[in-house]
Amino acid sequence: MVGGSAIRGSRVGAGPMGEAERGDTAPRLYVSYFCANSHETRPAFAADAQVPETWDCPRCGLPANMDAENPPPPPKTTPYKTHLAYVKERRSDSEAEAILDEALTALRARRAAGEVIY
């Protein structure tokens, strides 16, 4: 026998890892959560753990609860606003025109005085 080994194809510590060697598994509780897209998620919890009321759906990311008939609604997202949109919320058109006229008057006065502004 050339290069033979008595324990061919194994390594130290390898062997069947069944329940007899590891011990019994902890009792588990599977809870169903439902999201607004009708996805069902069944995470496992320890039998003595407190189960949360809501859970994030791993498929779509929406919140889910345990009521299949009334899943929580998707959260409302506000669209991105530009700086100009925020300014328009604070100022009326007449106020904006007054501020612009004031700034243009000051700019023209500085140019007339010989200051070069680019």
Side-chain angles (χ1 to χ4, degrees):
M1 184 169 179
V2 177
S5 174
I7 354 180
R8 184 175 212 158
S10 33
R11 57 187 165 77
V12 175
M17 290 295 289
E19 301 243 345
E21 292 185 17
R22 288 188 295 195
D24 294 330
T25 58
R28 295 191 175 135
L29 175 67
Y30 291 92
V31 180
S32 292
Y33 289 94
F34 302 93
C35 71
N37 289 336
S38 302
H39 298 142
E40 180 182 3
T41 305
R42 290 184 45 103
F45 297 99
D48 58 348
Q50 183 178 0
V51 178
E53 292 292 322
T54 60
W55 193 262
D56 289 338
C57 178
R59 291 179 67 187
C60 62
L62 293 177
N65 64 8
M66 294 178 266
D67 187 6
E69 301 298 321
N70 298 315
K76 294 182 180 181
T77 56
T78 57
Y80 174 76
K81 287 185 181 179
T82 62
H83 177 69
L84 183 59
Y86 284 110
V87 170
K88 286 182 176 181
E89 285 180 359
R90 291 193 312 260
R91 308 243 190 256
S92 67
D93 289 339
S94 60
E95 290 174 331
E97 287 180 21
I99 292 172
L100 179 62
D101 287 339
E102 182 182 325
L104 286 174
T105 304
L107 179 64
R108 289 180 181 133
R110 289 176 69 186
R111 283 189 178 168
E115 296 181 30
V116 179
I117 301 173
Y118 295 99

